[in-house]
Amino acid sequence: IRLEESLRLQRLLPPDEHAGISSLDRRQFIALRFASDDELPALYRRVRNGEFAKPTDIKRAITNWRPDTLRA
């Protein structure tokens, strides 16, 4: 999940924000994976700014869920 979401963030964020991607922890990556491409950059910035205490708070902030259809 970490690699997949890191690549996705690199694709959606401007290059000057790529360095901060590696600072996300596993639980934050897992929570962010459900966000749509449209809202992921803003949610990522909110996570980096410390707006969410727990991963469940990140999930609650997602308005347009991206289903995990490839899960085995």
Side-chain angles (χ1 to χ4, degrees):
I1 293 171
R2 183 182 293 269
L3 175 59
E4 181 181 330
E5 291 306 311
S6 292
L7 293 172
R8 184 172 166 229
L9 282 165
Q10 287 176 10
R11 181 174 48 86
L12 296 173
L13 294 171
D16 62 321
E17 293 185 65
H18 290 185
I21 295 170
S22 63
S23 69
L24 296 176
D25 68 35
R26 178 182 50 88
R27 295 173 0 142
Q28 290 169 323
F29 274 113
I30 290 169
L32 286 170
R33 75 180 177 167
F34 296 106
S36 67
D37 285 355
D38 291 338
E39 66 182 324
L40 182 61
L43 280 170
Y44 163 79
R45 290 178 189 110
R46 291 177 65 190
V47 169
R48 294 275 299 143
N49 289 335
E51 290 186 38
F52 303 110
K54 299 181 281 184
T56 54
D57 297 334
I58 298 169
K59 289 180 182 178
R60 286 186 190 117
I62 297 171
T63 58
N64 187 14
W65 280 71
R66 182 178 76 127
D68 187 1
T69 57
L70 298 177
R71 193 172 191 177

